[in-house]
Every structure is written in structure tokens, then in C-alpha cells.
Amino acid sequence: MERIGDIKLDKSNNKYLYLQLFEEIKRLIESNNIEPHTKLPTIRYLANKLGVNNSTIVNAYNQLETEGYIYKKIGSGTFVQDIRSKEVNKLILDEETSMNLDSLNLFLDMKKEEKIINFASTAPMPDLFPIDDFKIVLNEVLDRDKGRAFTYQESQGYLDLRKAISNYLSGFNIKANENNIHIISGAQQGIDILSKALIEYGSVVFTENPTYTGAIAVFKSRSARIVEIPINKDGIDLIDLEYKLRSLKPKFIYVMPNFQNPTGYSYTVAKMKKLIELAVKHNFYIIEDDYLSDLHLFNQPKNTLKSLDTVDKVIYIKSFSKIFMPGLRLAFMIIPQTIYSEVLSAKHISDISTSGLIQRAFHLYLEKGIWQKHIERMSTVYSERYNTIIKSIKKYMPKQVKYTLPQGGLNFWFSLPSSYSANELYKLCLKNGITIAPGSLFDIWQRDTKYFRLSIASVHKDEIDFGIAKLSQIINFFLKNYQKDNITIDLYNNLF
Ligand SMILES: Cc1ncc(COP(=O)(O)O)c(C=O)c1O
């Protein structure tokens, strides 16, 4: 078996030494010569052994980290990633957006009429889309604006829509005028253009871990150095955050304070305030991804970080995908004055502007109050599903499976006992016509974990009880037959 200590670098070769080292270690990991979670040699040791500068090792390790081959634990060292979970991720296609059920059927060799129960996707179902109402506002825009609806729109967004959003936000205690609001083509684009505007090669970015897959992919694509901050039931782990802030200077932290994806947990107001205090003290921005705060089901106040931000440190992103129609590609951001021009230019470079027709139609939709009606309908449908799944979970879920139920939202987060793999459970469920989202999808380093997420966005109310009963049966079977010795890492200790 080859080892890192046996690697030889060729100083006469034109290729940078750090790239040679990166490729050699990558090859050893891919060919299973190094076990997942093995600790790598320290920088100084390896530099001495190979007769190169420390910076060669640092650059090679950074490249490996960016491409997901290794992960760093502050205070403990650098470890080899479990890249086997990448295979599972390929199967899942894009679980957040839309499960491609046709190809899953092919994969499963199931009969077309056998329906998969989809607890994995967070995309709303098309039968909830308000097509007739949207047709009315679209036609009205076409009659009113004619060709103007199809000209280039200003990059920041259609002014009347920005004004209407500013008005709408006052109901959420968020003060933002039309000059701070930027219309974007979905929250995903918001994360991407913010990264374009703020991240340079190697910039440090903090995120909750586990977190939203699409954000991890963006930060990696910009070669950011991602540092994980654990999340607890009441929000981000402030002790860990303060500890890491002693030695690292992040450009920003990316968080979801309401119904965090995937855990469903929400921050307490005290934690929100403290996070803003830390952003001022250590001079970083907070990106608040508010993809779901509209779905508080128990009439609590809808607190957002932005509503508490008096210091202009919070970059607020609001998507309409989960509560409206994801294919519209419509969202907005509230941008601090200090980064206004960088963000505007990144948006312009990206797609010039979000569709003017859709912006104008959505403006009318808000102005006519149809939006409010739609939100009320969605809340009713989702509270019915929420109440049903809670009952079914309590009734059927095996006792060994742990969970903390959220106060609303779409996502429910579970833990198998230690030494069980959620990737394996995912495969077993898939063979039996149920999809779940395994925790590896949301881990920054795609490590296999004992966690999995269920979502109620893509299941009908009357499928839920049967689905959870069947899933519980599968889990009971799984717990008896699928124990593994090699799931040794117990990630996210304080989650439940
Ligand atoms: C937390 C979170 N943020 C952003 C997005 C992307 O949203 P959009 O469709 O607005 O691009 C998703 C989609 O799943 C999400 O879960």
C-alpha cells in the first residue's frame, strides 16, 4: 500500500510542486490507499520530509480542501474526507430543487404506476401553484406595458416592484427603502453574486454545518476556505463561533436563522442579537438566507436578523421559491450601502437583469393583495401536512431514532443511533419506493453521517401517514441488519 511519506516530487518538472503534491495525495485518496478520516502529516513534518517550503504543503492542502478531499478541524489537524458519499450524492440529482422521478424510476426498475413517496425534496408541488391568478396579472401587464415589458430591465430591479417590496417588509419590522433592495433571479443567484462580489481566492467564509447544499457548492466554486460552525437546537453555537473568530477573519457568515435547512431549527432572539454584535466587533457581514420565515405555524413573531439589524451588517436574501413558484426565478436581497456597487456590478455581469415581465407581473400580484391570499392558502396546506407528519412520527418512528420537532417550516431532522449510515438507509429506502435526504448532502465535506432529513414539501397530506409507517418499518429492518463498524465519527454532537 502506498503512503503519503512515499510521495516523490520532481523539482525539474515545470509543474508547480504544490500541484504535484495535490495530485499525488488526491490519487492516493481516490485509490483507497488512505482510509477516510486518517489524519494527514503536519505541514512542517511533510515539508521536511519532501525537502520543500511549508507554503508548498499549505497550498496543496488548501487545494485538496477546496475540492472536498480533506477537511480541517481547528486544533486537531487535517483529515481525509470520506469520498464514498460522493457516489450517493450523484444519485440524488438535485434533491433541493426537483427530484427527477423519471430517472429514479429507471434506476429502481419500478413500474411507472408505482409512485415514489418523496420526503427528500423541498420544492413545492405544481398543484399548489396559483396559475389562474398569475394568468390574470400577466395579461394585465402585457395589455398595459406592451413591448416595454420585454426591454432590458435595470439591473437592480423594476422600481415599482422594489417599492412594493419595501412596503411589504414594513409588516415584518424590516426597514429597507427601494434603493437597498435588489431583485435577483432566485436566492441561489443571490448567494452566487454575493460570493462573486465579496470572496477572493482563499477568503475565509463561515457557515453553519450542516447547511444548504447549493451554498456550499457556490463557496467551493469560488475557492473560499469554508469553516464550519455547529448549529444547536436554539441556533448557532456561539462559543465555537467566538473561539474561531480569535484566529480567523471571515468575509461573511452564511446562516438561516429561521427553520434552518436541513435541521429545521430556529435561532433565539438573544442569539440573533449576539451574532450581530460579533459581526460588528470582528467586522464581517452576515448573509441571512430567509427561505421560509413565512411558514411559522404558531403565530409567533417572525423575527429575522434583518429586523434586528441597526448597524447594516446583515445581507438579507429572500426567496419566493418554497412558498410560491420556484420556476419564476424570483427573489430579492437587502444590501448594506457599503457593498452596493460591488453587488450591483456582480449582478449585471451575471445576467444583466431578472426577467422584466416576471417582475412586473409579481408587482401587480403584490399590489392587488393576491399574494396575501396565496400565503394564507400555503400556510393552511402546510400546517395540515405538518400536523399529520408530527402525529405519524410520534406514532411510528422507532424509539432509537432521535429528533427535535421544529415550530413550523418544511424540514424535520433525525438521527439514527451511532454506527449506522444514513447513506445506506437512503439506498434501502429508495429500493422500497421512498426518498429521504441523507445528511451527507448537507455536510460541508459530504461526510457520511447518521442523520437524515424529511421534508413535507413534495408529499400530499394523505400520503404522509402511510409513508412514515412504511419508512419506520424500513428503519426497523435497517437497525437490525445494517450496523456498521466504520462510521466512527460522531458529527454535530449537540444537535438534539
Ligand atoms: C436554504 C435555501 N436557500 C436557497 C435556495 C435556492 O432558492 P431559489 O430557488 O430562490 O434559488 C434553496 C433551495 O432549495 C434553499 O433551500
Side-chain angles (χ1 to χ4, degrees), residues 15-34:
K15 196 177 221 170
Y16 286 118
L17 290 173
Y18 89 89
L19 277 181
Q20 291 185 34
L21 180 60
F22 157 74
E23 280 169 8
E24 280 299 295
I25 299 181
K26 178 176 154 190
R27 187 180 57 77
L28 291 179
I29 295 173
E30 283 181 339
S31 55
N32 293 327
N33 274 289
I34 320 178

PDB file of all heavy atoms in Angstrom, residues 15-34:
ATOM      1  N   LYS A  15       5.872  21.788 -13.686  1.00  0.00           N
ATOM      2  CA  LYS A  15       4.620  21.892 -12.928  1.00  0.00           C
ATOM      3  C   LYS A  15       4.917  22.323 -11.487  1.00  0.00           C
ATOM      4  O   LYS A  15       5.870  21.806 -10.876  1.00  0.00           O
ATOM      5  CB  LYS A  15       3.957  20.510 -12.915  1.00  0.00           C
ATOM      6  CG  LYS A  15       2.526  20.548 -12.523  1.00  0.00           C
ATOM      7  CD  LYS A  15       1.978  19.156 -12.624  1.00  0.00           C
ATOM      8  CE  LYS A  15       0.606  19.129 -13.213  1.00  0.00           C
ATOM      9  NZ  LYS A  15       0.211  17.778 -13.509  1.00  0.00           N
ATOM     10  N   TYR A  16       4.102  23.267 -10.944  1.00  0.00           N
ATOM     11  CA  TYR A  16       4.307  23.707  -9.560  1.00  0.00           C
ATOM     12  C   TYR A  16       4.375  22.505  -8.622  1.00  0.00           C
ATOM     13  O   TYR A  16       3.611  21.539  -8.783  1.00  0.00           O
ATOM     14  CB  TYR A  16       3.132  24.579  -9.097  1.00  0.00           C
ATOM     15  CG  TYR A  16       3.123  25.966  -9.680  1.00  0.00           C
ATOM     16  CD1 TYR A  16       2.065  26.382 -10.481  1.00  0.00           C
ATOM     17  CD2 TYR A  16       4.160  26.857  -9.423  1.00  0.00           C
ATOM     18  CE1 TYR A  16       2.044  27.657 -11.020  1.00  0.00           C
ATOM     19  CE2 TYR A  16       4.146  28.142  -9.960  1.00  0.00           C
ATOM     20  CZ  TYR A  16       3.090  28.540 -10.759  1.00  0.00           C
ATOM     21  OH  TYR A  16       3.075  29.785 -11.288  1.00  0.00           O
ATOM     22  N   LEU A  17       5.247  22.627  -7.610  1.00  0.00           N
ATOM     23  CA  LEU A  17       5.397  21.499  -6.674  1.00  0.00           C
ATOM     24  C   LEU A  17       4.107  21.248  -5.892  1.00  0.00           C
ATOM     25  O   LEU A  17       3.741  20.103  -5.627  1.00  0.00           O
ATOM     26  CB  LEU A  17       6.546  21.798  -5.695  1.00  0.00           C
ATOM     27  CG  LEU A  17       7.938  21.771  -6.330  1.00  0.00           C
ATOM     28  CD1 LEU A  17       8.991  22.232  -5.337  1.00  0.00           C
ATOM     29  CD2 LEU A  17       8.276  20.362  -6.821  1.00  0.00           C
ATOM     30  N   TYR A  18       3.396  22.349  -5.547  1.00  0.00           N
ATOM     31  CA  TYR A  18       2.176  22.135  -4.744  1.00  0.00           C
ATOM     32  C   TYR A  18       1.125  21.374  -5.555  1.00  0.00           C
ATOM     33  O   TYR A  18       0.388  20.543  -5.025  1.00  0.00           O
ATOM     34  CB  TYR A  18       1.641  23.468  -4.189  1.00  0.00           C
ATOM     35  CG  TYR A  18       0.668  24.217  -5.065  1.00  0.00           C
ATOM     36  CD1 TYR A  18      -0.702  23.971  -4.982  1.00  0.00           C
ATOM     37  CD2 TYR A  18       1.105  25.173  -5.979  1.00  0.00           C
ATOM     38  CE1 TYR A  18      -1.603  24.655  -5.791  1.00  0.00           C
ATOM     39  CE2 TYR A  18       0.214  25.853  -6.793  1.00  0.00           C
ATOM     40  CZ  TYR A  18      -1.137  25.597  -6.695  1.00  0.00           C
ATOM     41  OH  TYR A  18      -2.037  26.268  -7.492  1.00  0.00           O
ATOM     42  N   LEU A  19       1.099  21.630  -6.906  1.00  0.00           N
ATOM     43  CA  LEU A  19       0.123  20.909  -7.738  1.00  0.00           C
ATOM     44  C   LEU A  19       0.500  19.432  -7.863  1.00  0.00           C
ATOM     45  O   LEU A  19      -0.356  18.553  -7.854  1.00  0.00           O
ATOM     46  CB  LEU A  19       0.044  21.534  -9.129  1.00  0.00           C
ATOM     47  CG  LEU A  19      -0.866  22.745  -9.250  1.00  0.00           C
ATOM     48  CD1 LEU A  19      -0.884  23.265 -10.675  1.00  0.00           C
ATOM     49  CD2 LEU A  19      -2.303  22.405  -8.813  1.00  0.00           C
ATOM     50  N   GLN A  20       1.807  19.171  -7.949  1.00  0.00           N
ATOM     51  CA  GLN A  20       2.256  17.766  -7.995  1.00  0.00           C
ATOM     52  C   GLN A  20       1.822  17.044  -6.715  1.00  0.00           C
ATOM     53  O   GLN A  20       1.298  15.935  -6.751  1.00  0.00           O
ATOM     54  CB  GLN A  20       3.788  17.702  -8.098  1.00  0.00           C
ATOM     55  CG  GLN A  20       4.362  18.191  -9.413  1.00  0.00           C
ATOM     56  CD  GLN A  20       5.886  17.962  -9.448  1.00  0.00           C
ATOM     57  OE1 GLN A  20       6.404  16.994  -8.898  1.00  0.00           O
ATOM     58  NE2 GLN A  20       6.597  18.880 -10.084  1.00  0.00           N
ATOM     59  N   LEU A  21       2.033  17.738  -5.591  1.00  0.00           N
ATOM     60  CA  LEU A  21       1.692  17.108  -4.308  1.00  0.00           C
ATOM     61  C   LEU A  21       0.176  16.907  -4.202  1.00  0.00           C
ATOM     62  O   LEU A  21      -0.309  15.842  -3.779  1.00  0.00           O
ATOM     63  CB  LEU A  21       2.208  17.986  -3.151  1.00  0.00           C
ATOM     64  CG  LEU A  21       1.935  17.450  -1.755  1.00  0.00           C
ATOM     65  CD1 LEU A  21       2.582  16.075  -1.541  1.00  0.00           C
ATOM     66  CD2 LEU A  21       2.453  18.423  -0.688  1.00  0.00           C
ATOM     67  N   PHE A  22      -0.572  17.940  -4.604  1.00  0.00           N
ATOM     68  CA  PHE A  22      -2.042  17.851  -4.589  1.00  0.00           C
ATOM     69  C   PHE A  22      -2.505  16.626  -5.379  1.00  0.00           C
ATOM     70  O   PHE A  22      -3.299  15.806  -4.915  1.00  0.00           O
ATOM     71  CB  PHE A  22      -2.617  19.149  -5.173  1.00  0.00           C
ATOM     72  CG  PHE A  22      -4.012  19.029  -5.719  1.00  0.00           C
ATOM     73  CD1 PHE A  22      -5.103  18.925  -4.867  1.00  0.00           C
ATOM     74  CD2 PHE A  22      -4.246  18.997  -7.097  1.00  0.00           C
ATOM     75  CE1 PHE A  22      -6.394  18.795  -5.366  1.00  0.00           C
ATOM     76  CE2 PHE A  22      -5.532  18.873  -7.600  1.00  0.00           C
ATOM     77  CZ  PHE A  22      -6.606  18.774  -6.725  1.00  0.00           C
ATOM     78  N   GLU A  23      -1.950  16.470  -6.598  1.00  0.00           N
ATOM     79  CA  GLU A  23      -2.391  15.365  -7.460  1.00  0.00           C
ATOM     80  C   GLU A  23      -2.021  14.005  -6.880  1.00  0.00           C
ATOM     81  O   GLU A  23      -2.784  13.046  -6.962  1.00  0.00           O
ATOM     82  CB  GLU A  23      -1.803  15.524  -8.869  1.00  0.00           C
ATOM     83  CG  GLU A  23      -2.614  16.522  -9.659  1.00  0.00           C
ATOM     84  CD  GLU A  23      -1.964  16.946 -10.965  1.00  0.00           C
ATOM     85  OE1 GLU A  23      -0.939  16.345 -11.352  1.00  0.00           O
ATOM     86  OE2 GLU A  23      -2.480  17.895 -11.582  1.00  0.00           O
ATOM     87  N   GLU A  24      -0.855  13.932  -6.274  1.00  0.00           N
ATOM     88  CA  GLU A  24      -0.420  12.657  -5.681  1.00  0.00           C
ATOM     89  C   GLU A  24      -1.323  12.257  -4.510  1.00  0.00           C
ATOM     90  O   GLU A  24      -1.751  11.110  -4.405  1.00  0.00           O
ATOM     91  CB  GLU A  24       1.039  12.771  -5.195  1.00  0.00           C
ATOM     92  CG  GLU A  24       2.050  12.636  -6.308  1.00  0.00           C
ATOM     93  CD  GLU A  24       1.959  11.273  -6.996  1.00  0.00           C
ATOM     94  OE1 GLU A  24       2.245  10.261  -6.337  1.00  0.00           O
ATOM     95  OE2 GLU A  24       1.564  11.212  -8.176  1.00  0.00           O
ATOM     96  N   ILE A  25      -1.607  13.228  -3.631  1.00  0.00           N
ATOM     97  CA  ILE A  25      -2.444  12.885  -2.456  1.00  0.00           C
ATOM     98  C   ILE A  25      -3.863  12.540  -2.933  1.00  0.00           C
ATOM     99  O   ILE A  25      -4.477  11.585  -2.469  1.00  0.00           O
ATOM    100  CB  ILE A  25      -2.464  14.027  -1.419  1.00  0.00           C
ATOM    101  CG1 ILE A  25      -1.042  14.289  -0.919  1.00  0.00           C
ATOM    102  CG2 ILE A  25      -3.378  13.669  -0.245  1.00  0.00           C
ATOM    103  CD1 ILE A  25      -0.923  15.390   0.127  1.00  0.00           C
ATOM    104  N   LYS A  26      -4.367  13.316  -3.910  1.00  0.00           N
ATOM    105  CA  LYS A  26      -5.704  13.043  -4.466  1.00  0.00           C
ATOM    106  C   LYS A  26      -5.754  11.608  -5.004  1.00  0.00           C
ATOM    107  O   LYS A  26      -6.705  10.867  -4.773  1.00  0.00           O
ATOM    108  CB  LYS A  26      -5.965  14.062  -5.576  1.00  0.00           C
ATOM    109  CG  LYS A  26      -7.273  13.896  -6.284  1.00  0.00           C
ATOM    110  CD  LYS A  26      -7.467  15.023  -7.285  1.00  0.00           C
ATOM    111  CE  LYS A  26      -8.377  14.541  -8.389  1.00  0.00           C
ATOM    112  NZ  LYS A  26      -8.486  15.398  -9.518  1.00  0.00           N
ATOM    113  N   ARG A  27      -4.671  11.212  -5.720  1.00  0.00           N
ATOM    114  CA  ARG A  27      -4.638   9.857  -6.298  1.00  0.00           C
ATOM    115  C   ARG A  27      -4.670   8.809  -5.179  1.00  0.00           C
ATOM    116  O   ARG A  27      -5.410   7.820  -5.248  1.00  0.00           O
ATOM    117  CB  ARG A  27      -3.360   9.701  -7.138  1.00  0.00           C
ATOM    118  CG  ARG A  27      -3.276   8.409  -7.934  1.00  0.00           C
ATOM    119  CD  ARG A  27      -1.995   8.328  -8.746  1.00  0.00           C
ATOM    120  NE  ARG A  27      -0.778   8.444  -7.955  1.00  0.00           N
ATOM    121  CZ  ARG A  27      -0.254   7.470  -7.200  1.00  0.00           C
ATOM    122  NH1 ARG A  27      -0.858   6.309  -7.131  1.00  0.00           N
ATOM    123  NH2 ARG A  27       0.855   7.670  -6.496  1.00  0.00           N
ATOM    124  N   LEU A  28      -3.923   9.056  -4.122  1.00  0.00           N
ATOM    125  CA  LEU A  28      -3.895   8.083  -3.017  1.00  0.00           C
ATOM    126  C   LEU A  28      -5.274   7.954  -2.356  1.00  0.00           C
ATOM    127  O   LEU A  28      -5.694   6.865  -1.974  1.00  0.00           O
ATOM    128  CB  LEU A  28      -2.855   8.501  -1.960  1.00  0.00           C
ATOM    129  CG  LEU A  28      -1.389   8.410  -2.389  1.00  0.00           C
ATOM    130  CD1 LEU A  28      -0.472   8.875  -1.265  1.00  0.00           C
ATOM    131  CD2 LEU A  28      -1.029   6.976  -2.774  1.00  0.00           C
ATOM    132  N   ILE A  29      -5.953   9.097  -2.248  1.00  0.00           N
ATOM    133  CA  ILE A  29      -7.290   9.047  -1.611  1.00  0.00           C
ATOM    134  C   ILE A  29      -8.271   8.317  -2.531  1.00  0.00           C
ATOM    135  O   ILE A  29      -9.010   7.424  -2.099  1.00  0.00           O
ATOM    136  CB  ILE A  29      -7.799  10.476  -1.291  1.00  0.00           C
ATOM    137  CG1 ILE A  29      -6.896  11.135  -0.242  1.00  0.00           C
ATOM    138  CG2 ILE A  29      -9.237  10.441  -0.788  1.00  0.00           C
ATOM    139  CD1 ILE A  29      -7.206  12.605   0.035  1.00  0.00           C
ATOM    140  N   GLU A  30      -8.239   8.673  -3.829  1.00  0.00           N
ATOM    141  CA  GLU A  30      -9.204   8.068  -4.760  1.00  0.00           C
ATOM    142  C   GLU A  30      -8.972   6.568  -4.929  1.00  0.00           C
ATOM    143  O   GLU A  30      -9.898   5.813  -5.199  1.00  0.00           O
ATOM    144  CB  GLU A  30      -9.117   8.765  -6.122  1.00  0.00           C
ATOM    145  CG  GLU A  30      -9.818  10.119  -6.086  1.00  0.00           C
ATOM    146  CD  GLU A  30      -9.783  10.863  -7.421  1.00  0.00           C
ATOM    147  OE1 GLU A  30      -8.924  10.566  -8.273  1.00  0.00           O
ATOM    148  OE2 GLU A  30     -10.617  11.764  -7.586  1.00  0.00           O
ATOM    149  N   SER A  31      -7.700   6.145  -4.777  1.00  0.00           N
ATOM    150  CA  SER A  31      -7.444   4.717  -4.966  1.00  0.00           C
ATOM    151  C   SER A  31      -7.512   3.947  -3.637  1.00  0.00           C
ATOM    152  O   SER A  31      -7.038   2.823  -3.536  1.00  0.00           O
ATOM    153  CB  SER A  31      -6.071   4.523  -5.607  1.00  0.00           C
ATOM    154  OG  SER A  31      -5.110   5.184  -4.802  1.00  0.00           O
ATOM    155  N   ASN A  32      -8.124   4.613  -2.623  1.00  0.00           N
ATOM    156  CA  ASN A  32      -8.327   3.980  -1.301  1.00  0.00           C
ATOM    157  C   ASN A  32      -7.035   3.568  -0.616  1.00  0.00           C
ATOM    158  O   ASN A  32      -7.033   2.643   0.203  1.00  0.00           O
ATOM    159  CB  ASN A  32      -9.248   2.750  -1.396  1.00  0.00           C
ATOM    160  CG  ASN A  32     -10.642   3.159  -1.768  1.00  0.00           C
ATOM    161  OD1 ASN A  32     -11.083   4.238  -1.390  1.00  0.00           O
ATOM    162  ND2 ASN A  32     -11.310   2.318  -2.539  1.00  0.00           N
ATOM    163  N   ASN A  33      -5.920   4.176  -0.983  1.00  0.00           N
ATOM    164  CA  ASN A  33      -4.679   3.889  -0.274  1.00  0.00           C
ATOM    165  C   ASN A  33      -4.661   4.560   1.099  1.00  0.00           C
ATOM    166  O   ASN A  33      -3.876   4.198   1.959  1.00  0.00           O
ATOM    167  CB  ASN A  33      -3.466   4.364  -1.090  1.00  0.00           C
ATOM    168  CG  ASN A  33      -3.035   3.298  -2.071  1.00  0.00           C
ATOM    169  OD1 ASN A  33      -2.500   2.271  -1.682  1.00  0.00           O
ATOM    170  ND2 ASN A  33      -3.306   3.519  -3.352  1.00  0.00           N
ATOM    171  N   ILE A  34      -5.497   5.596   1.256  1.00  0.00           N
ATOM    172  CA  ILE A  34      -5.605   6.219   2.586  1.00  0.00           C
ATOM    173  C   ILE A  34      -7.058   6.105   3.030  1.00  0.00           C
ATOM    174  O   ILE A  34      -7.983   6.479   2.294  1.00  0.00           O
ATOM    175  CB  ILE A  34      -5.219   7.715   2.572  1.00  0.00           C
ATOM    176  CG1 ILE A  34      -4.005   7.961   1.676  1.00  0.00           C
ATOM    177  CG2 ILE A  34      -4.931   8.207   3.979  1.00  0.00           C
ATOM    178  CD1 ILE A  34      -3.601   9.413   1.592  1.00  0.00           C
TER     179      ILE A  34
END
